[in-house]
Amino acid sequence: MTTIFARIARGELPADIVYQDELVTAFRDIHPLAPVHVLVVPNAVLATADDLTVDHEAVAGRMLRVAADIARREGIAERGYRLIINCNRDGGQEVPHLHLHLVGGRPLGPMLQRR
Ligand code: AMP
């Protein structure tokens, strides 16, 4: 079982990688929605947030901390940014490999459209 994001983490597919360690890889989104749009993914395949268990606390915490570090390095931390994890169909998840979106560099507006 592999995914495009696992292949990016293994160096098998090209990506603009901004950070990598033994647990996570961060790379720029190929279709950025804001001046800064980075995806932070576990190196190991983990399909969705719905698959997280107590065994994943280290990798989940690492994803958050790495995203905050990248935001500071990209110079967007003080003005602010948004972290997003889409899960499954209603959440709008397109790639079946857990990923945390770090988006910022412009005002992002309301979190969701009101219906
Ligand atoms: P989601 O809708 O949460 O599953 O988001 C998937 C994201 O992955 C989208 O923002 C895509 O633009 C991005 N994406 C898909 N393929 C690649 C790729 N090869 N490299 C970088 N980003 C990608």
Side-chain angles (χ1 to χ4, degrees):
M1 164 69 177
T2 193
T3 65
I4 54 170
F5 290 172
R7 295 187 68 199
I8 286 172
R10 290 198 297 268
E12 296 170 6
L13 288 177
D16 185 356
I17 291 176
V18 297
Y19 177 85
Q20 186 163 47
D21 64 26
E22 81 284 7
L23 287 180
V24 304
T25 299
F27 51 93
R28 295 192 193 279
D29 196 290
I30 204 165
H31 298 303
L33 297 170
V36 175
H37 189 168
V38 170
L39 302 176
V40 186
V41 310
N43 295 336
V45 172
L46 181 64
T48 78
D50 187 45
D51 297 298
L52 286 165
T53 69
V54 68
D55 294 338
H56 301 112
E57 287 181 1
V59 71
R62 185 72 60 89
M63 289 168 69
L64 273 177
R65 200 265 297 159
V66 163
D69 285 350
I70 294 168
R72 281 189 290 271
R73 201 188 327 144
E74 296 278 328
I76 61 170
E78 195 169 325
R79 286 185 56 121
Y81 54 86
R82 189 168 292 158
L83 302 177
I84 303 166
I85 295 177
N86 296 321
C87 179
N88 285 334
R89 192 179 50 225
D90 279 5
Q93 182 174 0
E94 291 174 358
V95 177
H97 183 125
L98 180 66
H99 48 285
L100 177 64
H101 296 255
L102 162 65
V103 285
R106 65 167 172 83
L108 296 169
M111 188 173 70
L112 288 174
Q113 299 290 338
R114 287 200 187 279
R115 299 195 148 207

